[in-house]
Amino acid sequence: KANLMSKENTIMSINYMKLLGAITIVTISMNVTAGFDENFRDSKLNTSWGIKGDGHQGVSNGAYNLTDAADSSSTELFRNIQDAPSASFQTSIEVLFNKFVSPNTKTAFTWTLNGHSGNVSIIYNSFGKLELRHNDFDGENKELASNKNIGVKDGSIVSFTLKYDNESELLEAFYTGNDGVDISFYKGLGAADQSFDDFFSLRSTAKLYKFDDSTAEQASISINSWKMN
């Protein structure tokens, strides 16, 4: 009986160690920095994405296409972030502005990251103005940087990029001009010169909003790629 009990204890110890090993592996995998990389190559929109509004034209030619009519709501494409980065990260979106500034469609394109502690938005409107804003959900909704006219022409592909350094707590924002070169237009802290905290772990959204009542001259854009890593 003693030998039998000893064998059973040994087997239980081995199984317990295997269980601990399995738990450790799961824990490590859950903490790995993750993100997404979308190039819209499938014929249909991946189920990871959600839509809102009436201006969706769907996927074609390796891009997601949308417009927005003169109404009280925007047209939005968004993705809930299930695997948020756990450290420093970079996220970017590449957009072809088919019809936007000429003629002036009186429309704003907004790209926003949302988290538990606030959100950060890059806003580009059809007057040519580019703006970076931070809402910290604590009373501060501040313009961090702006450029009155970045000179992007219709038919141009523009990449917008946000690069966050976890150690320094600094955010850097970029856009590409007509020559395709990255231009940094902000590097610093958030609203009220405070850290950004969590502005990114919940959702990433791109939207068009026509702020004019006229139904004429609707904007047309194509999102070529969108990633976070």
Side-chain angles (χ1 to χ4, degrees):
K1 289 183 178 180
N3 290 336
L4 181 59
M5 290 180 64
S6 177
K7 289 180 179 179
E8 289 177 348
N9 287 337
T10 300
I11 293 170
M12 290 177 65
S13 296
I14 292 172
N15 289 337
Y16 181 67
M17 292 302 294
K18 288 181 178 179
L19 178 60
L20 284 178
I23 292 172
T24 302
I25 291 171
V26 170
T27 303
I28 291 172
S29 66
M30 288 175 66
N31 287 326
V32 171
T33 299
F36 61 88
D37 190 348
E38 177 65 75
N39 55 20
F40 301 104
R41 297 300 181 193
D42 296 333
S43 58
K44 294 183 179 179
L45 189 65
N46 187 290
T47 55
S48 299
W49 296 94
I51 62 173
K52 178 183 176 183
D54 299 326
H56 295 276
Q57 298 171 327
V59 178
S60 65
N61 301 318
Y64 189 83
N65 308 283
L66 58 159
T67 184
D68 191 59
D71 55 24
S72 59
S73 63
S74 57
T75 298
E76 302 180 16
L77 176 65
F78 62 88
R79 183 174 183 131
N80 294 327
I81 301 172
Q82 298 175 342
D83 298 312
S86 59
S88 300
F89 71 90
Q90 179 171 309
T91 181
S92 62
I93 187 170
E94 183 182 277
V95 183
L96 168 60
F97 289 92
N98 301 298
K99 180 182 175 184
F100 197 71
V101 299
S102 182
N104 189 334
T105 59
K106 297 184 172 66
T107 302
F109 167 77
T110 304
W111 179 45
T112 302
L113 283 178
N114 277 286
H116 291 92
S117 303
N119 61 49
V120 168
S121 298
I122 289 180
I123 305 164
Y124 173 53
N125 68 36
S126 55
F127 290 94
K129 181 181 179 180
L130 181 67
E131 183 181 8
L132 178 71
R133 300 193 67 88
H134 176 218
N135 183 348
D136 67 2
F137 292 174
D138 195 29
E140 288 286 343
N141 187 352
K142 181 181 178 182
E143 179 185 270
L144 300 180
S146 67
N147 185 325
K148 289 184 178 180
N149 194 335
I150 62 174
V152 173
K153 301 175 182 178
D154 283 353
S156 297
I157 295 174
V158 184
S159 291
F160 301 102
T161 300
L162 292 171
K163 187 176 181 180
Y164 181 67
D165 185 89
N166 188 56
E167 292 186 5
S168 65
E169 298 183 334
L170 297 179
L171 179 72
E172 189 166 12
F174 303 84
Y175 73 94
T176 57
N178 288 316
D179 56 3
V181 176
D182 283 340
I183 300 169
S184 174
F185 68 102
Y186 182 78
K187 185 175 183 179
L189 294 169
D193 293 324
Q194 301 293 321
S195 63
F196 284 92
D197 297 323
D198 174 20
F199 66 93
F200 56 83
S201 70
L202 296 179
R203 178 177 287 190
S204 186
T205 304
K207 71 177 180 180
L208 276 183
Y209 180 72
K210 185 171 177 62
F211 47 80
D212 182 69
D213 291 334
S214 172
T215 57
E217 308 301 351
Q218 291 186 19
S220 170
I221 70 168
S222 301
I223 301 175
N224 294 333
S225 64
W226 193 338
K227 62 184 177 180
M228 185 179 200
N229 51 41

